Each structure stands twice: as structure tokens, then as C-alpha cells.
Amino acid sequence: MAAMKSAWLGIALGLLATACGQDHRVLEERTRQAMNDIDAGQLAVLARQRIYFGHQSVGQNILAGMHRLAAANPDLHLNFVHLGSSGTAESPAALGDDGWFADSYIGSNADPAAKNRDFAATVAALPRMDFAFAKYCYLDIGPAADVQTVFRHYQETLAALRAAHPDITFVHVTAPLTVLQRGPKAWVKQLIGRDISGHADNIKRHEYNELLRQAYLGREPLFDLARLESTRPDGTRVTFEDGGRTYFALAPEYTPDDGHLNAPAQAYVAAKLLGFLASLTPRQAPAHR
């Protein structure tokens, strides 16, 4: 019996590895297509833009994907500059009038207000720029989050930044998601009517993201990271139901630890973000209102 179980386990693991490999190959092809959709002229314009990105670890995942794409694509000439944890660090003077893609860590996880403050302070400290954006982490919006308060503070921060820096195009980013609990423990929780890990958290993130979409989609640039994360390589969405409503979760194919992005997902999201930014210029970006 033990030998039979071992044999079945080996078969199952082999099938799983094959499935994961297929998913990664599909994602790699989608990444290539996303990069092919950006023409050389757009890439040249993008290289001349001055861009600032405030983030924590998922943002660093996306930047890692960008670095790999830049190494593999001779037409992608981005001047990456990491500013350090304070954002104003190593030297804003290093950011000249030529194009750059600067980033820094802002705030700390589980404290979105601190991220807003750091983002605003860094924007004020840096030289004139074309685009600026920040993203929350999944840890910033947990099951106990007051979503209305989080969103209101974000809106107030962005409104003040737009008033102070009318020449900057600010880009909004939806909050990232996490995977739903899987396996025997999840099955038992379902049987006894307990919440599966990931439900409450992702419901809150969905509520925040819906507020973001309602406020900015079609009015100001919005990069929908959550939609990308919840869309599997085959195009289907990872969903769950609660109270008669549909919510979304991170596709498990995209993560090594239920929240961060693995290498294929890093490159894919980076390619989509580059395409999104390349489709905008400060003059073409939707007007603020």
C-alpha cells in the first residue's frame, strides 16, 4: 500500500510540474507578445520620460522583471535609478534632465498612510518629472482594514500632489491580491463553515480597488495590477463567492509564497506596465478632473 501511495504521489507531482511548466511557457509567450506590442518609437519616447515609482516588495518584484526585460531587449533603454529607502537618498542630483526610471521604498507594510506621506515627500524632493506612481502592498489592506479611510487618505494625498505639481501625470495602481488557501485544511474549513484564508483579505482589497476604479478609470491613468494577478495564463479569472458577490484572488501559478510574484509573473506584469506607460505621454495622458 505504501509503495502504491508513493507511486501515485510521484505521478501527481509529475503532472503538477508539467502543468506549472505549461503555465510558465504560456506566460512567457504572453510577455513576449506584450513587449512586441510596444513599438520601437514608443520605447524611445519612454526612455526619455522621467518616472518615479514608490513601492515595497511586490513593486520590487515588478522592477526585477523590468531589469530582466531590459537585459533581453536591446530597444529598451531605461535608466534605472534606485533611490534607497528614504526616496530622497543617494542623490536626486544624479537624476538629470535625461530620461530616468527612479524608484524607492516608501513607508512600511501595513501602514498605507505612511506610504502616502513618503510618496508625497519624495515627489516634492525630486527634480521635475513626467510620471509618478505608488502602489500599496497586499499587507496594507488586510481583513480589518477601514477601506473607506484608506481610500480617502489616498485621494487626499493625490489631490494635494496634483495641486502642487500640475505638470506631473500621476498614475494609479490597484492593490495586489493573495492566493486563497488550498488543500485539506481549506476543504475542512469549507465543510465546517469556517472562512478560508485569503477570503476576508481579498474582499477588502477588492472593495478598495473598486473605489479606485470608480474614481479614476477613464479619467486618469490606472494600471490594474489586481486584474492581471487574478487572470490565469489561459485567460480565466480566479474568483470566489461571498454573500452572493464575486471577488478575485491571486492566481497560484504566479507566486512562490501566496503573495509575491515568481520570475515569469514578474516579467509579465513588468511588460504590461511598460506597455501601459509607453501608451501615455504627459501630453496624451487623460486630463485630471
Side-chain angles (χ1 to χ4, degrees), residues 40-286:
Q42 287 179 309
L43 289 176
V45 171
L46 184 63
R48 294 194 295 270
Q49 304 305 317
R50 293 154 297 191
I51 303 168
Y52 167 62
F53 177 27
H55 62 88
Q56 280 286 341
S57 56
V58 173
Q60 190 59 40
N61 291 164
I62 297 170
L63 283 167
M66 283 192 183
H67 281 279
R68 285 198 296 276
L69 291 174
N73 290 270
D75 291 331
L76 183 57
H77 302 290
L78 293 182
N79 176 25
F80 293 107
V81 181
H82 181 62
L83 298 171
S85 58
S86 69
T88 60
E90 284 119 37
S91 164
L95 302 175
D97 290 332
D98 294 333
W100 38 262
F101 196 117
D103 81 283
S104 70
Y105 297 117
I106 54 172
S108 56
N109 285 334
D111 190 352
K115 293 186 176 182
N116 295 337
R117 289 193 297 271
D118 273 10
F119 179 62
T122 304
V123 168
L126 293 180
R128 185 169 65 89
M129 70 191 77
D130 300 301
F131 295 100
F133 59 106
K135 59 162 290 303
Y136 288 149
C137 179
Y138 54 84
L139 292 172
D140 295 324
I141 305 174
D146 182 338
V147 172
Q148 292 288 342
T149 297
V150 172
F151 181 67
R152 183 174 65 252
H153 195 271
Y154 174 82
Q155 274 199 308
E156 291 169 351
T157 300
L158 268 291
L161 284 170
R162 281 197 300 270
H165 308 280
D167 294 333
I168 299 175
T169 297
F170 290 95
V171 176
H172 310 282
V173 183
T174 52
L177 307 173
T178 55
V179 300
L180 302 178
Q181 186 177 21
R182 307 177 301 281
K185 288 186 178 179
W187 302 334
V188 171
K189 285 183 176 181
Q190 283 183 309
L191 287 173
I192 63 177
R194 291 182 59 190
D195 287 337
I196 294 174
S197 298
H199 272 210
D201 309 60
N202 284 318
I203 286 172
K204 290 286 189 176
R205 293 166 196 141
H206 177 80
E207 291 172 354
Y208 173 81
N209 290 338
E210 283 295 284
L211 290 174
L212 203 67
R213 295 176 184 117
Q214 290 164 13
Y216 300 115
L217 188 61
R219 299 178 177 88
E220 301 179 20
L222 186 149
F223 181 70
D224 203 338
L225 173 61
R227 184 174 184 86
L228 286 176
E229 286 194 330
S230 61
T231 304
R232 294 181 184 273
D234 65 4
T236 61
R237 301 287 298 278
V238 180
T239 64
F240 64 96
E241 304 293 322
D242 189 278
R245 297 189 61 187
T246 300
Y247 299 95
F248 302 93
L250 173 62
E253 299 93 329
Y254 297 165
T255 179
D257 60 5
D258 295 348
H260 295 96
L261 299 175
N262 58 29
Q266 290 173 9
Y268 175 62
V269 173
K272 298 297 283 188
L273 177 57
L274 289 171
F276 179 81
L277 293 172
S279 72
L280 303 169
T281 71
R283 293 178 182 176
Q284 294 174 336

